[in-house]
Amino acid sequence: MSTTSNPVAVVTGASSGIGAATARALAGVGYDVVLGARRLDRLEEVAAECGGTAIELDVTEDDSVAAFAAAVDEKFGRCDVLVNNAGGALGTESVAEANIDDWRWMYEVNVLGTLRVTKALLPALVASGDGQVISIGSIAAREPYKGGAGYNAAKHGVAALSRVLRIELLGQPVRVCEIDPGMVHTDFSLVRFKGDQEKADAVYRGVTPLTAEDVADTVSWVATRPAHVNIDQILMLARDQTSAQVVHRTEQ
Ligand code: NAP
């Protein structure tokens, strides 16, 4: 039984960057927002700002995802929108020098994390009568680039999952969308370069990248289309970027 008359949106990886901005944006258009991530302190801060509910979540752990889905069900009894945003990249090594642990992490968080949470919430999304699964992929899902193989492989996996889900849900009241951003200024590069702030800053030097709010605005637009409209895929880039590694910079 639903305990709220508002639609409920679940956002994974909502403790920072695109996920936090998406939680704020969806709260702004009338959703009761549930925020999931591992850093509960940061998650609670974002939740407080947007009147949402913070629930600890590690998308790489079966038990954590099961407990999260149970908590959503207990508190709200419904789920209308799932934003699969938790993810990221680790390293830029060549295939020859690839770090297997980094690849494993990228596959676990991006692909299996998206799979776990989607599986757990799909019954509620179908039951809502107008569910939506919106997954944050990347330009890396469309375009291989030097040093990107592990992240390319993971985001290609997310794209495959999302596109197959769309096919398999045909006839069910659930829409499926993949949003693939290019460069967005968040903690993404700091994570990718394992805390090296100088390398992370260099990614955005002399360029105007997308902001987390730009992507959140797109998620919110997708979520608020009429029920018969499925936005299947979006590639969104900064004006200063035309492909994964072609970027206009005013300084190097
Ligand atoms: P970010 O600021 O580093 O955010 C990543 C989020 O994922 C954090 O909230 C983090 O929260 C969460 N996360 C990581 N591992 C998790 C886990 N095991 N369980 C639950 N949550 C987890 O970077 P962002 O740019 O906003 O990234 C959001 C998504 O956009 C990612 O899927 C990324 O691949 C994608 N993307 C980013 C860019 C870009 O240039 N920034 C471009 C294209 C796509 P905790 O650490 O608190 O768990």
Side-chain angles (χ1 to χ4, degrees), residues 11-76:
V11 182
T12 70
S15 59
S16 68
I18 295 168
T22 296
R24 292 186 199 103
L26 292 177
V29 292
Y31 286 89
D32 280 354
V33 178
V34 182
L35 302 89
R38 295 166 303 175
R39 290 169 293 176
L40 195 54
D41 50 341
R42 294 186 61 157
L43 203 59
E44 279 169 346
E45 275 175 37
V46 183
E49 282 165 35
C50 65
T53 302
I55 302 176
E56 198 170 349
L57 170 67
D58 184 340
V59 298
T60 68
E61 296 288 339
D62 290 343
D63 291 351
S64 174
V65 173
F68 179 85
V72 172
D73 186 49
E74 193 184 347
K75 175 145 190 187
F76 296 102

Side-chain angles (χ1 to χ4, degrees), residues 187-219:
D187 287 345
F188 173 85
S189 293
L190 195 60
V191 172
R192 181 170 216 169
F193 292 113
K194 301 176 180 175
D196 187 328
Q197 189 71 55
E198 227 168 274
K199 279 190 181 170
D201 289 346
V203 172
Y204 310 109
R205 191 164 299 136
V207 61
T208 306
L210 298 174
T211 64
E213 287 71 26
D214 294 326
V215 182
D217 188 38
T218 302
V219 174

Side-chain angles (χ1 to χ4, degrees), residues 34-244:
V34 182
L35 302 89
R38 295 166 303 175
R39 290 169 293 176
L40 195 54
D41 50 341
R42 294 186 61 157
L43 203 59
E44 279 169 346
E45 275 175 37
V46 183
E49 282 165 35
C50 65
T53 302
I55 302 176
E56 198 170 349
L57 170 67
D58 184 340
V59 298
T60 68
E61 296 288 339
D62 290 343
D63 291 351
S64 174
V65 173
F68 179 85
V72 172
D73 186 49
E74 193 184 347
K75 175 145 190 187
F76 296 102
R78 68 186 281 183
C79 178
D80 301 82
V81 173
L82 165 62
V83 183
N84 285 311
N85 165 77
L90 271 188
T92 53
E93 285 77 14
S94 65
V95 172
E97 301 293 329
N99 178 322
I100 302 285
D101 287 338
D102 287 354
W103 277 59
R104 190 175 286 116
W105 180 83
M106 288 187 273
Y107 195 78
E108 269 291 340
V109 68
N110 292 284
V111 186
L112 298 184
T114 296
L115 174 64
R116 281 189 189 92
V117 181
T118 302
K119 257 190 97 173
L121 293 176
L122 201 49
L125 290 160
V126 173
S128 76
D130 178 23
Q132 294 198 62
V133 180
I134 301 171
S135 298
I136 306 300
S138 169
I139 192 171
R142 297 170 182 238
E143 208 188 302
Y145 59 90
K146 193 177 167 206
Y151 188 54
N152 285 140
K155 287 301 193 186
H156 274 71
V158 174
L161 188 166
S162 179
R163 294 172 199 178
V164 170
L165 185 68
R166 166 86 172 109
I167 294 164
E168 291 176 351
L169 289 174
L170 185 65
Q172 302 268 3
V174 182
R175 291 178 272 165
V176 181
C177 176
E178 168 195 343
I179 298 177
D180 291 332
M183 184 187 281
V184 189
H185 200 165
T186 64
D187 287 345
F188 173 85
S189 293
L190 195 60
V191 172
R192 181 170 216 169
F193 292 113
K194 301 176 180 175
D196 187 328
Q197 189 71 55
E198 227 168 274
K199 279 190 181 170
D201 289 346
V203 172
Y204 310 109
R205 191 164 299 136
V207 61
T208 306
L210 298 174
T211 64
E213 287 71 26
D214 294 326
V215 182
D217 188 38
T218 302
V219 174
S220 172
W221 177 78
V222 168
T224 52
R225 293 312 83 208
H228 67 284
V229 177
N230 194 101
I231 306 297
D232 283 45
Q233 297 169 28
I234 292 177
L235 172 66
M236 59 181 297
L237 304 178
R239 189 180 63 188
D240 281 344
Q241 180 174 30
T242 53
S243 73

